[in-house]
Amino acid sequence: MNPPASLRSERRGDDVVVWLFGELDVFNAADMTARIEAAVPSDAHGAVIDLSEVGFLDSTAIRRLFALAARLSERRQRVHVVSPAGSSVLRTLQLVEFTRAAPMHATLRDALAQLDAGRSHPG
């Protein structure tokens, strides 16, 4: 049996960091992406979604992540995603060209730095 997916979020100044854990699939993707969206209040500048502890994404989860990035973008919130170099999740997201939806970073530090830089240079 696969470990259940979970998340933790934390406000960091004007941004929100959301860490996901476990596996995201057809059984939990809708709930998890709804919980991510709920964790990012409308007054937040942006969000970092950290997938470092996610071991697997199926096609449903990927579609939901694309849709989540689009919804947050519509709210004028920047989204950045963390997935470590060499991870299977990163390879999957590269195959589906997820960078069309959100910038990808190897570390949380890099993602937060880019999100902060975007605050100075919107667009």
Side-chain angles (χ1 to χ4, degrees):
M1 181 170 197
N2 296 334
S6 62
L7 68 77
R8 178 173 67 89
S9 64
E10 176 182 299
R11 185 81 185 232
R12 295 216 179 160
D14 291 334
D15 303 316
V16 175
V17 177
V18 180
W19 292 268
L20 294 173
F21 306 90
E23 298 187 353
L24 299 179
D25 57 29
V26 67
F27 301 107
N28 61 22
D31 177 59
M32 294 305 288
T33 53
R35 290 177 59 199
I36 294 167
E37 189 171 359
V40 181
S42 59
D43 69 335
H45 170 260
V48 175
I49 301 169
D50 192 329
L51 302 176
S52 298
E53 298 298 322
V54 172
F56 173 77
L57 293 172
D58 75 0
S59 60
T60 299
I62 292 167
R63 282 192 306 275
R64 294 282 183 167
L65 285 173
F66 268 107
L68 173 67
R71 281 193 305 279
L72 293 177
S73 179
E74 288 169 2
R75 291 177 10 187
R76 296 189 176 274
Q77 293 174 306
R78 298 173 59 104
V79 179
H80 290 252
V81 174
V82 175
S83 188
S87 73
S88 62
V89 168
L90 177 61
R91 286 190 299 277
T92 300
L93 292 174
Q94 288 171 330
L95 283 172
V96 299
E97 299 179 352
F98 191 77
T99 55
R100 292 180 293 136
M104 300 283 299
H105 305 277
T107 68
L108 178 58
R109 179 184 302 237
D110 290 345
L112 287 169
Q114 285 298 311
L115 196 55
D116 188 50
R119 190 177 349 275
S120 303
H121 303 59

